Amino acid sequence: MTHSFDALVLGGGAAGLMCAIEAGIRGRRVAVLEHSDRLGKKILISGGGRCNFTNLHCQPENFLSANPHFAKSALARYTPQDFIALVEKHGIPYHEKTLGQLFCDRSARDILGMLEAECEHAGVSIFLNTKIQQVERTTEFIARASNAEFKAPALVVATGGLSIPKIGATAFGYDLARQFGLAIREPWPGLVPLILSREDCSRYCDLAGVSAEVIASCNGQQFREKLLITHRGLSGPAILQVSSYWKESQPLLIDLAPGSEITVVFHDSKTPRNQSALRTELRKFLPQRLADRWLDAHTPTSWTNPALAALEKQVHEWPITPAGTEGYEKAEVTAGGVDTNELSAKTMEASKVPGLFFIGEVVDVTGHLGGFNFQWAWASGAAAGRAL
Ligand SMILES: Cc1cc2nc3c(=O)[nH]c(=O)nc-3n(C[C@H](O)[C@H](O)[C@H](O)COP(=O)(O)OP(=O)(O)OC[C@H]3O[C@@H](n4cnc5c(N)ncnc54)[C@H](O)[C@@H]3O)c2cc1C
């Protein structure tokens, strides 16, 4: 059986639903084709079940992309305030948790319910359990699932990235881009916990659960947030953020006592220069077990001023080289994706293939932790939806 529409949206996640709503409101006959048995599964598990749906301080600097300017236009034309207005129209209670991050008071189900209600209002047709396996372009796009065929002059690819395969992530969006001759920036797991080498793990991983505020840096980016030790390595917001910029075999630099000088006390000649006094100082900044463990591995070679200066430097620039990441099983996002050079920044349409659009996580635009990935999904979805 063949269904005909004005536009087909592949993937009923955050970006696909927003795109369908915008196009539906403008009178387009839109179908959302979703291979799962329900819409927005990632929305439901996001933000620990409370969905960090946007960030008040959203700026282009909060995104990684080979072209840092690409996201600007869409982000400027659909802002956090636009999404907040929608949330408020639906009477959904929310709060700012920290650093501009907005979460539902109750549950992420509120956000999904709102998008479903908006789809209904906009007359969007939803097809669940519809895994698109093949797309062909004749005078129109034809998308084939095992049980049905869909036709339209416009096709929007909103199939997301590779993270969390167990809830339905597929590489279909990338395959489709390649099929139509569009370049892909090789994907990698982002916002992902890091694994330590066997040696570092045997030194630190039994402290799993211990956390501290640090500055983690890599490749010119730095984040002042919590670091958490896990059974296999490092996590916590500071590490997740920096993980998106990390490349294999590079060291991270960790400042264990941001903005403070732990050896300043030794400038006073009355303070004894020994390991016990040093422990006391470092414990002011780090949980005791972490402070002691770190000092066991970084005992100063002597107690001279230059040796203490070297230790101070180590405290602020502790180099640690992760052995790898926890991979797509645990990654909150997929970085890389459809090369932005292939797309119009205003509409998300592929310049080589009129009528073909890519939105959301499948595109090479990846947000920092804190509601930015949803803001990109809403903004890129709205940009395409308004162009259909
Ligand atoms: C655990 C977790 C927590 C997160 N929390 C937050 C948060 O609090 N704030 C934030 O901003 N971001 C968060 N994110 C990131 C955010 O969820 C994603 O960036 C966002 O969902 C991307 O939206 P999307 O629509 O591009 O892709 P998705 O939401 O992944 O949607 C893609 C859809 O396409 C469907 N699909 C795939 N292949 C096919 C096919 N061949 N045929 C038909 N359908 C197909 C999938 O089933 C899916 O429904 C979180 C991610 C994870 C994994």
Side-chain angles (χ1 to χ4, degrees), residues 2 23 32 39 67 71 82 93 119 136 162 231 247 293 296 303 311 319 347:
T2 303
V32 172
L39 297 171
N67 175 359
D82 291 322
C119 278
E136 197 187 319
L162 299 170
H231 290 108
K247 294 273 179 282
R293 190 68 60 83
D296 289 345
W303 297 94
L311 180 84
T347 64

Side-chain angles (χ1 to χ4, degrees), residues 11 13-15 34-35 46-47 52 132 158 160 164 170 332 360-361 371 373-374:
E34 167 57 52
H35 84 143
S46 67
N52 177 194
I132 298 305
I164 323 285
T170 72
E332 212 166 276
E361 203 175 309
N373 283 297
F374 278 134

Side-chain angles (χ1 to χ4, degrees), residues 177-195:
R178 287 192 192 97
Q179 178 190 328
F180 283 98
L182 309 189
I184 300 286
R185 196 169 169 231
E186 203 49 47
W188 71 96
L191 302 180
V192 64
L194 298 174
I195 296 172

Side-chain angles (χ1 to χ4, degrees), residues 163-164 188-195 228 230 232-247 252 322 324-335 366-369 373:
S163 353
I164 323 285
W188 71 96
L191 302 180
V192 64
L194 298 174
I195 296 172
L228 171 73
T230 71
R232 283 160 53 93
L234 301 176
S235 187
I239 295 300
L240 295 178
Q241 297 279 31
V242 90
S243 74
S244 300
Y245 294 89
W246 181 74
K247 294 273 179 282
L252 303 179
T325 78
E326 294 275 7
Y328 291 116
E329 304 293 322
K330 298 267 175 74
E332 212 166 276
V333 285
T334 303
T366 305
H368 289 169
L369 189 74
N373 283 297

